Amino acid sequence: VCIHRVRSCSSIRFIKSKYVCVFDKSALKFSHQQRLFRTSAVSCGQIVQFKLSDIGEGITEVTVKEWYIKEGDSVSQFDSICEVQSDKASVTITSRYDGVIRKLHYSIDEIAFVGKPLVDIEIDASKGVAPEEDVVETPPMSHEEHTHQEIKGHKTLATPAVRRLAMENNIKLSEVVGTGKDNRILKEDILNYLAKQTGAILPPSPKAEIIPPLRKTETVPAAPKDKAHKIPVHVSRPIAFSGKDKTEPVTGFQKAMVKTMSAALKIPHFGYCDEIDLTQLVQLREDLKPLAEIRGVKLSFMPFFIKAASLGLLQYPILNASLDENCQNVTYKASHNIGVAMDTEQGLIVPNVKNVQVCSVFDIASELNRLQSLGSAGQLGTSDLTGGTFTLSNIGTIGGTYAKPVILPPEVAIGALGKIQVLPRFNGKGEVFKAQIMNVSWSADHRIIDGATMARFSNLWKSYLENPASMLLDLK
């Protein structure tokens, strides 16, 4: 019997596009019966919308830089899904569920918004997921860049870079023993685990032992003699003339620069310049470079500049402070988190070395190596790019001599370092000698820092660099 309304027979319903047909139980003997049977039990999976979580620092949108999965791939909990970049840092997003990727909501270089779906994951409905969990966001990344995640009942601490290394080598972090603080898994732990699996022999960690200074009888390969002056070679790139204007959105670190520089315009800048004779420091670095290389660290001049600045900040803490928006209170920072401006493919970024006041020159050099490697790969974390209290910008690596640096709020001072030049100078006896001269340009917030304070700080910083041995008296 066909009717125009829905009726039931033995609690079994059949749906048709136009009519609803009612059958006896015997009608269930047809081979095609289950294709018409409609019930939630037929569905073998449940689609969950995996939303982009709040990654902190007031970030509301990010740019998708790389997908580690594609539609149809199976993922497990804590597997890396994609890497996103905000105007502050790059963050690796990990999965919360075990399932199959059914849809990617964004393409590479598209803008993803916090709280909106990132991917659709089909999970096993038999395992059960609470309805409210369909809209639960992904676990937020820690503001300190390190990810704290639960695996098999215990916490696994590791940076996104370490997790990516483990993923590329098909290593489960739950099987790796961490040797870092609070059992944090380090890069060396992943390499050692991989060596045990493959039988490879890895070189010892640079921190495993301290190599004593070379004896006088032992020779170190001499540095090459002064090379002929090289003319900078311009890197040619193919230029395409389309004849049309091109408009691109301001994103990533460039967007952060717009915000920061707009805020910097509110600060009255005071400038101060001087020149530094680095002749003794140049010789000291040449003596220490081989020892640093043995420990696996590249030693540049910047660690000396940073440490000397920290020693100066101990005497002039007003330069390591911040001023509130209403200009009513000055906060003197206990930590010397000194930033270093870096020119990368993503634009200008300023990661900082934390707690320089308790670091040795070698510690600073090691941390700079790490920051430069991550910066080149575009993998700097939020903790590396935030919390700075003082900044040095080494424009001399590109070739400049003078600069007018712009203060990075909420900091109150910044220095720009020029290139080191060999110039004639007079000694105390009136004799001309060859000197290694570098120019420095300081900018300070003139609302709370006067010219005399900036000059005294610069003179102290200069004395440490012109007589490196004097730094030993104040090192801790």
Side-chain angles (χ1 to χ4, degrees):
V1 180
C2 296
I3 57 177
H4 288 276
R5 66 180 186 273
V6 179
R7 293 183 58 188
S8 62
C9 181
S10 300
S11 301
I12 300 175
R13 299 179 183 179
F14 295 85
I15 305 299
K16 204 170 183 181
S17 60
K18 188 173 182 182
Y19 297 99
V20 177
C21 300
V22 183
F23 296 85
D24 292 331
K25 293 181 181 180
S26 59
L28 298 176
K29 295 180 182 180
F30 291 105
S31 60
H32 63 281
Q33 60 189 2
Q34 293 183 357
R35 290 184 297 167
L36 300 177
F37 188 72
R38 188 174 183 180
T39 174
S40 60
V42 175
S43 177
C44 60
Q46 180 179 0
I47 301 297
V48 175
Q49 286 194 330
F50 185 93
K51 296 185 179 181
L52 179 63
S53 66
D54 182 7
I55 57 179
E57 301 294 332
I59 296 171
T60 60
E61 61 183 42
V62 296
T63 303
V64 178
K65 302 304 296 182
E66 183 178 1
W67 285 106
Y68 300 134
I69 45 86
K70 61 182 181 297
E71 293 181 2
D73 285 355
S74 297
V75 294
S76 301
Q77 292 186 50
F78 313 118
D79 282 354
S80 296
I81 291 181
C82 65
E83 180 179 343
V84 298
Q85 184 181 75
S86 68
D87 56 357
K88 298 182 184 295
S90 296
V91 178
T92 300
I93 304 298
T94 58
S95 174
R96 179 169 182 170
Y97 307 103
D98 298 333
V100 179
I101 302 297
R102 290 306 180 193
K103 181 180 179 180
L104 306 181
H105 285 268
Y106 301 98
S107 300
I108 292 179
D109 290 334
E110 283 190 346
I111 303 297
F113 297 92
V114 170
K116 299 297 182 181
L118 189 63
V119 297
D120 289 351
I121 303 179
E122 181 180 345
I123 63 174
D124 189 353
S126 62
K127 295 182 179 180
V129 176
E132 60 270 16
E133 289 187 346
D134 290 356
V135 295
V136 172
E137 297 177 352
T138 61
M141 302 297 291
S142 168
H143 300 325
E144 298 180 357
E145 181 224 3
H146 302 110
T147 312
H148 297 235
Q149 298 174 338
E150 297 281 351
I151 298 181
K152 295 184 178 180
H154 68 275
K155 283 188 176 181
T156 300
L157 280 66
T159 64
V162 172
R163 293 182 182 277
R164 184 173 183 180
L165 178 62
M167 179 189 68
E168 291 174 349
N169 291 278
N170 296 320
I171 298 176
K172 294 182 178 180
L173 291 179
S174 58
E175 299 177 355
V176 181
V177 178
T179 60
K181 183 179 179 181
D182 298 328
N183 297 322
R184 188 181 306 279
I185 297 177
L186 307 177
K187 178 181 178 182
E188 291 78 8
D189 300 328
I190 299 294
L191 296 177
N192 290 333
Y193 179 87
L194 186 62
K196 292 179 181 179
Q197 300 296 319
T198 61
I201 300 177
L202 297 177
S205 173
K207 296 183 179 180
E209 61 176 343
I210 298 178
I211 307 298
L214 298 176
R215 300 175 184 176
K216 293 183 179 180
T217 56
E218 298 178 357
T219 59
V220 178
K225 301 295 182 182
D226 293 338
K227 299 180 180 179
H229 180 68
K230 294 183 179 180
I231 299 176
V233 179
H234 176 68
V235 179
S236 60
R237 296 180 180 178
I239 301 176
F241 294 96
S242 61
K244 297 181 180 180
D245 294 343
K246 183 179 180 181
T247 302
E248 293 181 348
V250 178
T251 59
F253 295 128
Q254 189 178 19
K255 192 171 186 178
M257 186 184 297
V258 171
K259 296 178 181 178
T260 303
M261 294 300 101
S262 297
L265 284 176
K266 302 177 182 179
I267 301 175
H269 283 54
F270 165 77
Y272 179 84
C273 301
D274 200 358
E275 71 172 32
I276 320 295
D277 183 358
L278 299 180
T279 304
Q280 293 187 40
L281 182 60
V282 170
Q283 184 58 50
L284 177 63
R285 174 177 171 266
E286 287 298 321
D287 295 339
L288 297 179
K289 275 179 62 178
L291 297 178
E293 290 176 356
I294 291 175
R295 299 186 188 185
V297 173
K298 181 180 179 181
L299 182 63
S300 63
F301 289 104
M302 186 57 72
F304 297 97
F305 300 153
I306 292 175
K307 188 60 183 180
S310 178
L311 294 175
L313 294 176
L314 292 174
Q315 301 296 324
Y316 299 95
I318 188 63
L319 297 176
N320 195 61
S322 63
L323 183 66
D324 65 6
E325 294 182 0
N326 297 324
C327 301
Q328 299 297 319
N329 300 287
V330 177
T331 302
Y332 295 85
K333 304 293 186 178
S335 299
H336 295 173
N337 300 337
I338 299 182
V340 180
M342 293 182 181
D343 180 36
T344 67
E345 293 183 357
Q346 292 79 29
L348 177 66
I349 57 177
V350 189
N352 57 83
V353 181
K354 298 289 193 297
N355 298 309
V356 177
Q357 75 278 4
V358 295
C359 293
S360 67
V361 172
F362 179 80
D363 293 335
I364 298 171
S366 179
E367 178 66 1
L368 280 178
N369 286 181
R370 184 187 72 86
L371 294 175
Q372 289 167 348
S373 298
L374 293 178
S376 299
Q379 297 178 350
L380 284 168
T382 304
S383 64
D384 295 323
L385 296 169
T386 57
T389 61
F390 186 87
T391 298
L392 290 177
S393 177
N394 190 5
I395 193 67
T397 56
I398 301 177
T401 304
Y402 300 96
K404 185 180 179 182
V406 180
I407 299 171
L408 302 177
E411 300 174 19
V412 295
I414 184 174
L417 312 176
K419 63 181 179 180
I420 300 176
Q421 306 177 87
V422 179
L423 299 173
R425 289 295 183 268
F426 290 94
N427 59 18
K429 299 179 181 180
E431 301 170 341
V432 178
F433 71 99
K434 183 173 66 174
Q436 303 276 354
I437 301 298
M438 181 188 74
N439 294 95
V440 60
S441 304
W442 302 104
S443 290
D445 188 339
H446 213 355
R447 293 174 297 182
I448 59 174
I449 300 173
D450 54 56
T453 301
M454 191 73 253
R456 292 189 182 101
F457 167 82
S458 180
N459 289 337
L460 180 58
W461 181 77
K462 174 180 178 179
S463 67
Y464 284 131
L465 298 178
E466 291 189 339
N467 303 283
S470 64
M471 296 176 64
L472 295 176
L473 298 177
D474 296 322
L475 290 177
K476 298 182 179 180

